[in-house]
Amino acid sequence: MMKIIYILFLFTLLSSSHASVNDFCVADTKASDTPTGYPCKPVSQITSDDFVFHGFVAGNTNSSNPVALTPAFVTQFPALNGLGVSAARLDLAQGGTVPMHTHPGATELVIILEGEITAGFLTPTTAYSKTLKSGDLIVFPQGMLHFLVNSGQGKASAFLTFSSANPGAQLLDNLLFSNNLPSSLVAQTTFLDLAQVKKLKARFGGSG
């Protein structure tokens, strides 16, 4: 029995050692992305600059929905390739809203820098929301439908971190109303009024 345990322990140790042979894999973003990430940039071409991201500053919030996201995902910061982490900066002018969306492959941590942000996520039975101020944190578990709203009187900002190098996002409104499904079918499957569906499709660029 002890011999079997020893063999299993040795196998696990060797497997772990093999997995950590490559400490990093700076992405070659000129190549195609794959389910396991980008291929590695040759080590001979890597410099210290590859491990630094510049420009993590406030974005432009002069738009109809005054929100700006400054991402540091693998496509902007290739050193994150394969590391399972990424970050972003979120700026919201007064009234700015990040609508309902999900990150199917990532948990999100939101760290409030300034202002007041009301944030929350939904499950099939419960809504969890809280008004947050500077120094507060909130976590959105992986795949949960969530939102953020500037609920204060001035600008607000936050740092976001994700448990994925490329978290992606699926916005609920875009999924529902930017498609080419017939409006009647969208209305039937969402229990919304047909006229409202057509109005929302026009706003989000859908057809049908």
Side-chain angles (χ1 to χ4, degrees), residues 80-86 106 162-166:
L80 300 181
N81 192 41
L83 298 183
V85 294
S86 60
F162 302 89
S163 61
S164 169
N166 194 14

Side-chain angles (χ1 to χ4, degrees), residues 162-191:
F162 302 89
S163 61
S164 169
N166 194 14
Q170 293 185 349
L171 272 69
L172 180 60
D173 290 338
N174 284 349
L175 288 173
L176 288 173
F177 306 116
S178 66
N179 58 67
N180 61 355
L181 282 175
S183 295
S184 58
L185 188 56
V186 175
Q188 183 178 359
T189 55
T190 59
F191 303 106

Side-chain angles (χ1 to χ4, degrees), residues 53-78:
F53 179 78
H54 300 284
F56 212 48
V57 297
N60 182 8
T61 57
N62 294 322
S63 63
S64 57
N65 181 24
V67 174
L69 184 74
T70 305
F73 302 156
V74 66
T75 46
Q76 295 84 25
F77 193 7

Side-chain angles (χ1 to χ4, degrees), residues 38-40 63 123 127 150 179 189 196:
Y38 287 93
C40 302
S63 63
T123 73
N150 182 345
N179 58 67
T189 55
Q196 185 65 27

Side-chain angles (χ1 to χ4, degrees), residues 74-137:
V74 66
T75 46
Q76 295 84 25
F77 193 7
L80 300 181
N81 192 41
L83 298 183
V85 294
S86 60
R89 174 175 172 138
L90 177 67
D91 292 281
L92 305 98
Q94 188 169 338
T97 299
V98 179
M100 295 283 186
H101 66 285
T102 67
H103 305 290
T107 294
E108 178 180 356
L109 184 66
V110 180
I111 306 163
I112 309 302
L113 298 178
E114 64 175 330
E116 179 183 289
I117 294 176
T118 297
F121 67 93
L122 310 177
T123 73
T125 58
T126 308
Y128 300 93
S129 66
K130 194 74 175 176
T131 297
L132 308 166
K133 296 189 177 180
S134 178
D136 293 338
L137 289 79

